[in-house]
Amino acid sequence: MGQIDTFDPKRQGDPAARKAGAYYRSVDTAVPGVQVCEHLQQLAPLMDHVTAVRSVHHEVIDEHAAATNRMHTGRAVTGTVLYPSLGSIIANQRGAASDGAPPYVLIGYPNVTRGPGFLGANSGYLYLTDTSQGPAGLSRPAEITDQRQSRRERFLASIGDDAAKINDHRVRDYQDAIKQSLKLSGPDFNRAFQLTQEPDRLRNRYGGEFGQRCLLSRRLVERGVRFIEVSHNLNFLNGAGWDV
């Protein structure tokens, strides 16, 4: 659905009479004077906790990548500066709400407009595309024993000692990102992705795959993740499709 059939309803139209407007009727919300589509009736009483931005626009016609960049960074595409996304800005300025969580999680495919830009790797995102498995790379393969894991971490630490001698903020940011990944690879954070711990009745209320991503987002917020982007449509691998 478009914005006129969700959070920015217009006067109801009439396709038969070729009258432009919304397809569905509007309902009142908890905020006086603010209405939403009738299919958001359960959200309507909670709108005092929602910020609906109705002023976003861009001047490029029929160009999804440009609109995606504008949505994430607030800027037009430029060939000289790679600007950070909103999620990366929050990760950089606020960090995670707890030590055992990343500040920024993307449930969808990665692309440059969602990334940290000039802020560096330490302000990047942790991403996943399968709610049943969690982020790729955080779960240790079954064949990797504790002994092998310890040996790998010692080797990585030795490389880090050499990298520390390089006076380059990009290297330092990358090292910090590696340390965070190792910290998040333990069982505590990975339990957030075990949606089977939720009652079946609750999972059914959340609905299909998109709903399960929203349920996972709630669990991640409870773990201390500060910013989460949930993709509606995972069919566009470059992140430039509709309903991102």
Side-chain angles (χ1 to χ4, degrees):
M1 292 191 294
Q3 74 273 11
I4 64 172
D5 292 315
T6 50
F7 293 99
D8 192 15
K10 307 300 182 185
R11 183 177 57 186
Q12 197 164 4
D14 185 354
R18 302 178 67 86
K19 178 183 177 182
Y23 192 81
Y24 305 102
R25 67 181 183 87
S26 304
V27 296
D28 292 329
T29 70
V31 181
V34 174
Q35 293 186 319
V36 294
C37 171
E38 63 178 315
H39 293 294
L40 300 178
Q41 290 188 23
Q42 294 190 57
L43 180 61
L46 305 174
M47 277 300 290
D48 54 334
H49 298 287
V50 175
T51 300
V53 181
R54 296 173 170 174
S55 57
V56 176
H57 74 286
H58 66 91
E59 294 77 27
V60 181
I61 304 301
D62 198 23
E63 176 48 66
H64 302 312
T68 301
N69 189 82
R70 175 81 72 171
M71 187 68 191
H72 285 103
T73 68
R75 297 173 181 269
V77 177
T78 172
T80 56
V81 180
L82 193 59
Y83 288 99
S85 66
L86 176 60
S88 289
I89 293 173
I90 291 177
N92 180 271
Q93 295 296 307
R94 298 296 304 276
S98 69
D99 291 336
Y104 176 17
V105 171
L106 165 64
I107 305 180
Y109 287 99
N111 76 330
V112 66
T113 67
R114 294 178 165 115
F118 58 69
L119 291 179
N122 204 31
S123 300
Y125 49 72
L126 179 71
Y127 86 94
L128 68 143
T129 57
D130 187 345
T131 55
S132 65
Q133 296 184 9
L138 284 190
S139 299
R140 187 197 305 179
E143 65 271 15
I144 303 299
T145 63
D146 290 342
Q147 183 179 11
R148 290 183 65 184
Q149 178 70 14
S150 297
R151 188 167 67 246
R152 291 181 175 195
E153 291 184 16
R154 288 196 300 271
F155 177 65
L156 185 61
S158 67
I159 297 176
D161 292 339
D162 292 334
K165 302 173 185 177
I166 303 174
N167 187 23
D168 190 323
H169 71 89
R170 292 172 297 182
V171 175
R172 292 193 298 271
D173 286 346
Y174 190 71
Q175 290 297 108
D176 289 341
I178 291 175
K179 291 178 182 177
Q180 185 186 59
S181 297
L182 290 173
K183 183 168 61 176
L184 297 177
S185 62
D188 290 341
F189 179 66
N190 277 284
R191 273 194 285 270
F193 302 96
Q194 298 174 10
L195 297 184
T196 54
Q197 293 182 351
E198 298 287 346
D200 291 341
R201 182 173 177 272
L202 178 64
R203 292 192 65 184
N204 290 335
R205 288 190 66 191
Y206 271 82
E209 178 58 26
F210 177 67
Q212 298 306 299
R213 294 178 210 139
C214 293
L215 174 58
L216 174 58
S217 298
R218 191 215 76 196
R219 292 173 62 87
L220 290 172
V221 168
E222 292 171 347
R223 289 298 193 283
V225 179
R226 185 82 68 177
F227 186 97
I228 303 169
E229 178 180 337
V230 183
S231 293
H232 179 270
N233 190 340
L234 296 186
N235 293 327
F236 293 84
L237 301 188
N238 65 353
W242 295 332
D243 303 324
V244 297

